[in-house]
Amino acid sequence: MSRVAAYLPIAAVVALAAVVPLVVTSNTVINFLVFTLIVAVAAQGWNLLGGYGGQYSFGHAAFFGTGAYVTALLQTQAGWNPWATVLLGILAGAAVGAVIGFLSFRSGLRGSYFALITLAFAEVFRILANAAGITGGAAGVLIRLDVRPENFQFASRGTFFWVGLAVVAIGLVLTRAIERSRFGAHLVAVRENEDAARALGVDPLRVKLLAITLSAGLTAASGGLYAQYFLFLDAGIAYGAWISVEALVAPIIGGIGTVFGPLVGAVVLQGLGHLTGHLAGEIPGISLVVFGALLILAVAFAPDGATGMAGRLWRRWRRPATPTTTPTATGGERC
Amino acid sequence: MLRVEHVTRRFGGLVAVNDVSLTVAPGRITGLIGPNGAGKTTLFAVIAGFVAPSAGRVLLDDIDVTAEPPHRRAVRGIARTFQVVQPFAGLTVRENIAVGAHLRHRARAEALCRAEAIAAEVGLSAALDEPAAGLTVAGRKRLELARALATEPRLLLLDEVLAGLNPSEIRDMIPVVRGLRDRGITILMVEHVMQAVMALSEHIYVLAEGRLIAEGAPETVARDARVIEAYLGHGAAARLDRARAGHG
């Protein structure tokens, strides 16, 4: 696949999405879409580590919350510019990722043990944030309303949609670039078989540390966006299990270990969540029921997610006569 | 090229490898044989860095690599295959081999290219875009070999690459292994298929119950009374001699 062919779908999807605020005027819809983009970014972060690296985290809230709190608190407490604090939030989230990664991968934690330890870290952060004075405790942090672009606050929700879309685009490009790199090959090798990877000269600890650092940084960016959009945080939002769940369910529904999986999954999840919210009335927790049901369906019938299923249906539709799907493209550059 | 000095490995009370020393000369095929449970695979794991020895040293070109992890040894030029094949099941054959090729080639395109060339060398060209999970046993053995080759090793450790293959597949595989030696790759092979190891090896070490019991040229080792007893049981050598005398 040439470089252009590799990035063209990303450009197309982003360009198409960028038109949405121009045609959709409903604030409710834009609001919904912005939230979906924020979830998509967190999910993209999770997908780097979980989808490509096979390390299933249950505690990406630790990174989301760190990004959100650093973004918010450096503004409210130190008076720094939010564009700068979002960047610092990303760095802080990445650093938390590196530390958690070092502690757990160094001790050889894998599978459900890794999932549990990340969950535990996120819960500890939530409890600490709820108790600490600097985070505003249970009352939370309120970012002062001051609508100016240089203040990362926008008069129109459409503008925020574009900002969120830009971050999603960065996530898509980053994921594709990793897919096409040596690091990406090593990451996938570690996911598939760690011993075999070691025999081929791959240092699994190094690979997993880099993956969790990037993954955490991206999810922290999602937290920063959240803080700037809603201008309010408390421990339950920032470090709550809800975001850990969304970040991992979206890629699984959309297509784990694929570039577009997290975005597609986030759209499907949020869309269906809203729809059932409308149909079933405001039954508390109904969206979680939908998530659970979708997760079961995905695991049972489409382990490669919505994007994988769409691909299979597309191939079947294209060539209904030939049951054997022989790969037509060789997939490799000419040597 | 490779020197193993007084290596011992204990697992609890079991001594899997007991004070084994051996040398592998550059540019040759050295065989390591022995009955089941002799400690061959453990010794391999020690050489490749997957298992730390309880005592003893492993030297590559006179450099002590005993404390180095497997990936560092791979960089030095040691590659291994696994007795129980370990494919990256979710990846295609091409992607599998490319992981090995990435050791010496950073660029993705280059690694994929190398993978294609190596697949041709071991006879996997037709399966390049198939998922590794779909390969036959023979195909998986070839894939193990291809991945190890892709790291451009100087010393290749082959752990039973012929086991589980049928006679015609073995016949196909033997020239492949010999071709690698001719290209200058030093080979140490653990093998159960006696006919193949006798045909390929220039020097053989025999391991039984963790100890080295014999070494030498294939013909010498095959006649060694201790080796026959290790394989066929106590008194077997004498019975064989009597049988031969009877026929003669």
Side-chain angles (χ1 to χ4, degrees), chain A residues 213-289:
Chain A
T213 306
L214 290 171
S215 166
L218 201 51
T219 300
S222 160
L225 285 176
Y226 185 99
Q228 285 311 116
Y229 189 66
F230 292 99
L231 302 176
F232 173 75
L233 283 181
D234 64 23
I237 294 172
Y239 288 123
W242 73 277
I243 187 65
S244 298
V245 171
E246 300 241 4
L248 90 97
V249 176
I252 293 175
I253 301 285
I256 194 165
T258 64
V259 171
F260 289 105
L263 178 60
V264 170
V267 171
V268 170
L269 272 185
Q270 294 304 321
L272 286 178
H274 264 254
L275 214 62
T276 47
H278 275 294
L279 295 179
E282 291 304 318
I283 302 170
I286 186 73
S287 66
L288 282 176
V289 174

Side-chain angles (χ1 to χ4, degrees), chain B residues 83-143:
Chain B
Q83 181 185 359
V84 179
V85 291
Q86 310 273 351
F88 302 125
L91 308 186
T92 65
V93 167
R94 187 198 305 272
E95 288 165 337
N96 263 271
I97 306 173
V99 173
H102 267 304
L103 182 62
R104 316 275 178 213
H105 305 276
R106 172 173 275 281
R108 184 84 185 130
E110 212 176 315
L112 290 170
C113 259
R114 290 286 309 147
E116 215 167 293
I118 287 160
E121 198 174 347
V122 301
L124 275 176
S125 287
L128 267 171
D129 292 303
E130 276 175 35
L135 291 177
T136 61
V137 174
R140 287 172 191 220
K141 294 279 182 183
R142 283 172 194 265
L143 181 59

Side-chain angles (χ1 to χ4, degrees), chain A residues 74-93:
Chain A
L74 286 179
Q75 285 175 75
T76 57
Q77 306 280 332
W80 292 8
N81 180 280
W83 289 96
T85 65
V86 167
L87 286 180
L88 287 170
I90 293 172
L91 292 181

Side-chain angles (χ1 to χ4, degrees), chain A residues 180 182 188 192-193 330 335, chain B residues 86 90 94 102 108 113 129:
Chain A
R180 293 164 51 81
R182 167 156 75 178
V188 170
E192 295 289 324
N193 191 325
T330 54
C335 305
Chain B
Q86 310 273 351
R94 187 198 305 272
H102 267 304
R108 184 84 185 130
C113 259
D129 292 303

